[in-house]
Amino acid sequence: MRRYSAFAIAREALRHHTGWNRAWRSRDPKKHYKVIVIGAGGHGLATAYYLGKNYGIRDIAVLEKGWLGGGNTGRNTTIIRSNYLQDPSAAIYEKSRSLYETFSQDVNYNAMFSPRGVLMLAQTHHEVRGYQRTAHANALQGVETEFVGPERVKEIVPIINIDGPRYPVLGALWQPRGGTARHDAVAWGYARACSGMGMDIIQKCEVTGVRSDGGTVTGVTTTKGDIACDKLAIVVAGHSGHLAGMAGFRLPIESVALQALVSEPIKPCMDCVVMANTVHGYMSQSDKGEMVIGGGADGYNNYTQRGSFHHVEETVRALVETFPMISRLKMMRQWGGIVDMTGDRSPIISKTPLGNTFINCGWGTGGFKSIPGSGWAMAELVAKGEPGPLAAEFGLDRFREGRFIDESVAAGVAH
Amino acid sequence: MLILQCPYCGIQCDETELAPGGQAHLKRHGPGSSDEDFEAYLFDRDNPMGVHFERWRHANGCGKWFLAARCTTTLEVFGTYSAQTTEPPAEIADRIRARRPNWEGRT
Ligand SMILES: Cc1cc2nc3c(=O)[nH]c(=O)nc-3n(C[C@H](O)[C@H](O)[C@H](O)COP(=O)(O)OP(=O)(O)OC[C@H]3O[C@@H](n4cnc5c(N)ncnc54)[C@H](O)[C@@H]3O)c2cc1C
Ligand SMILES: [Zn+2]
């Protein structure tokens, strides 16, 4: 793998850009791999990357039924933050945020991580108390956040209306080191680095069955034939229930649609991310100038990657109230992704009832921010067969034992 | 826009009039049941790609709960029926089989 650098750009400029290689190899699957990862979204690719980097396991195939990053990893609104309430969440999301800080150097691919700051508005007294509590919890967890008053909010985001008719802004939880990154680049960067370590990234290869012998996995059936493996990692977000069915177990997960939309590009007007959980909307501005907007998830099971229009309407209504200047903006594109929702709104990184089979799912509406940390923790689980400290609390057994990691109150809106 | 007919008032409701309520026909397990059954009742869900039975409430209407059979990959609605049932009625099952010959029934 040729390194990307300023020097490489200069060199290629001199020879009419004839020397760039493909970012990752495409090939047909081998008969056997030590580890098969199902799903080439960010979490699957990060799992493969850290298996190679941290544990020296490189005989790996990542199987993807569509194209790389075509799932939620390429559909999200790229908010990165780690201001969660519960300790296990703060640990893994903060690990992830800190890995994003060095991602571009580490994988040698520019993911344009932009720690522009994330502001979560408090618009009810209940929310004020909730976020004050989160700020205290974050202080104990070593996550840098601050509860700020309405004047400071107006200073950070001059275009905001803090005296809204329904829900005036009473304050906000401010995480200055949160921000955004380029989602495709995260998938592409990991894929290129995995390919560089000798792993196979196989697109248009759908897993249609999981084969096992005596309660232990032996391989998978795919649209490109049977492939054997010693260990299997299922990392397919919205399709987790479907894959778990193939592997013979059930999950506490429902798959629903979550939508986002972007406006026509305008001049720079907002240099941080603002989330308004009470009114159900959030917004940031992309480098191209588009306002990137998201809101609440649909309430019913759906695999179509299309959502209901009234949710878009609800989101836009909320944001026009919060940012009156956007009321004349045209919306250019709108899309949906299928997100995997668990009962306590926290993810699952776990062993499964099938031997040597591991699952990483349940990131729901908020798993872009966690891609590096989740891959890190999942790689440890797959390599050692037992979860390390980051993953330990996120096992499937927590539902039986009632050890929920309840973030549904801390994050009222999808992001 | 998803449109379901409320079996009580007979109105064609668009989804803004309705509140979704998750999987239907859950078998209730309470005190005295095994941990596995209780966990499954509270958390494990079918979540199929295909035919799904679910609860809906005519929230901005008569306020009653009813059940619907729907396809999660095409959003086709096979029918709605009373919530006072433990199994989908035969006519709903027939309609599903007519449209989905490979449907294996409720498992
Ligand atoms: C509209 C929207 C906005 C969002 N906004 C944010 C945000 O601002 N911040 C944030 O942190 N998170 C956000 N999220 C959530 C985030 O996108 C996801 O949690 C995250 O991308 C999940 O990554 P993943 O790798 O697990 O899944 P995916 O990227 O969906 O990857 C799973 C892959 O598995 C493949 N697959 C499925 N079945 C099979 C099979 N049988 N065989 C082979 N491959 C298969 C799929 O094709 C897919 O590519 C948002 C999500 C959506 C939809
Ligand atoms: Zn009714």
Side-chain angles (χ1 to χ4, degrees), chain B residues 6-11 13 58 61-64 66:
Chain B
C6 173
Y8 300 105
C9 30
I11 288 174
C13 318
H58 192 185
C62 67
K64 292 202 171 64
F66 65 92

Side-chain angles (χ1 to χ4, degrees), chain A residues 2 32 35 178 223 234 310 317 333 348 410:
Chain A
R2 282 249 177 84
H32 175 271
V35 178
T223 46
I234 302 174
H310 69 94
R317 196 193 306 137
R333 294 188 302 284
I348 294 167

Side-chain angles (χ1 to χ4, degrees), chain A residues 231-397:
Chain A
K231 291 182 177 179
L232 181 66
I234 302 174
V235 196
V236 294
H239 289 78
S240 299
H242 190 56
L243 264 294
M246 294 180 200
F249 57 94
R250 284 165 64 87
L251 286 175
I253 283 193
E254 288 176 295
S255 298
V256 302
L258 175 65
Q259 304 175 82
L261 59 159
V262 294
S263 74
E264 58 190 327
I266 54 174
K267 289 198 170 159
C269 64
M270 190 170 114
D271 61 0
C272 67
V273 180
V274 177
M275 307 177 57
N277 292 349
T278 292
V279 293
H280 273 127
Y282 60 84
M283 188 165 86
S284 65
Q285 188 168 23
S286 76
D287 293 340
K288 284 185 284 184
E290 301 156 330
M291 303 313 289
V292 181
I293 292 173
D298 284 7
Y300 56 88
N301 295 42
N302 181 352
Y303 284 91
T304 64
Q305 297 191 328
R306 266 179 307 178
S308 298
F309 183 72
H310 69 94
H311 280 284
V312 174
E313 206 177 6
E314 180 192 60
T315 302
V316 170
R317 196 193 306 137
L319 290 174
V320 166
E321 199 174 306
T322 319
F323 304 98
M325 69 159 273
I326 69 163
S327 66
R328 303 284 176 88
L329 275 188
K330 293 189 187 71
M331 294 299 148
M332 304 290 279
R333 294 188 302 284
Q334 168 271 343
W335 64 91
I338 298 306
V339 294
D340 38 343
M341 309 294 276
T342 58
D344 60 356
R345 298 293 181 265
S346 283
I348 294 167
I349 306 174
S350 184
K351 297 202 267 191
T352 71
L354 187 63
N356 286 346
T357 304
F358 308 90
I359 194 159
N360 179 331
C361 62
W363 294 97
T365 60
F368 174 71
K369 61 180 70 65
S370 61
I371 285 173
S374 152
W376 184 284
M378 182 69 175
E380 181 168 14
L381 172 64
V382 174
K384 297 181 177 165
E386 291 296 330
L390 280 181
E393 302 289 327
F394 293 103
L396 267 172
D397 50 0

Side-chain angles (χ1 to χ4, degrees), chain A residues 30-276:
Chain A
K30 295 192 291 181
K31 286 271 155 286
H32 175 271
Y33 291 90
K34 200 160 178 187
V35 178
I36 287 180
V37 178
I38 309 176
H43 289 262
L45 291 163
T47 300
Y49 176 73
Y50 292 112
L51 273 169
K53 184 172 178 203
N54 295 355
Y55 300 96
I57 302 174
R58 296 178 174 190
D59 182 18
I60 299 180
V62 185
L63 309 182
E64 167 56 49
K65 75 170 172 156
W67 66 96
L68 212 140
N72 295 342
T73 298
R75 293 167 185 269
N76 69 83
T77 47
T78 75
I79 300 175
I80 297 170
R81 58 183 185 90
S82 58
N83 52 356
Y84 284 73
L85 177 64
Q86 310 292 349
D87 291 347
S89 320
I92 195 162
Y93 286 105
E94 177 62 7
K95 170 77 182 171
S96 199
R97 196 201 54 74
S98 71
L99 285 171
Y100 265 125
E101 288 188 334
T102 53
F103 176 94
S104 298
Q105 291 75 13
D106 185 31
V107 307
N108 183 230
Y109 201 102
N110 188 1
M112 298 159 77
F113 176 58
S114 160
R116 57 183 66 186
V118 174
L119 202 55
M120 289 167 79
L121 303 182
Q123 292 172 287
T124 62
H125 289 287
H126 176 75
E127 251 182 330
V128 169
R129 282 192 294 270
Y131 287 148
Q132 282 172 340
R133 180 180 173 211
T134 304
H136 292 312
N138 289 162
L140 293 172
Q141 293 151 347
V143 176
E144 190 193 328
T145 62
E146 188 192 346
F147 187 83
V148 298
E151 303 74 32
R152 179 86 179 100
V153 170
K154 185 75 184 167
E155 241 171 69
I156 298 171
V157 202
I159 65 167
I160 205 167
N161 173 19
I162 54 171
D163 306 312
R166 286 192 302 164
Y167 294 105
V169 173
L170 305 174
L173 184 63
W174 171 233
Q175 183 172 26
R177 302 181 77 166
T180 59
R182 175 153 186 222
H183 47 15
D184 304 310
V186 172
W188 296 338
Y190 276 131
R192 176 167 168 272
C194 287
S195 181
M197 285 191 277
M199 301 176 190
D200 291 343
I201 315 283
I202 302 167
Q203 302 181 70
K204 294 190 199 146
C205 178
E206 178 170 359
V207 173
T208 53
V210 174
R211 290 179 300 133
S212 62
D213 184 21
T216 301
V217 71
T218 57
V220 293
T221 309
T222 76
T223 46
K224 296 196 174 186
D226 287 355
I227 315 173
C229 66
D230 300 342
K231 291 182 177 179
L232 181 66
I234 302 174
V235 196
V236 294
H239 289 78
S240 299
H242 190 56
L243 264 294
M246 294 180 200
F249 57 94
R250 284 165 64 87
L251 286 175
I253 283 193
E254 288 176 295
S255 298
V256 302
L258 175 65
Q259 304 175 82
L261 59 159
V262 294
S263 74
E264 58 190 327
I266 54 174
K267 289 198 170 159
C269 64
M270 190 170 114
D271 61 0
C272 67
V273 180
V274 177
M275 307 177 57

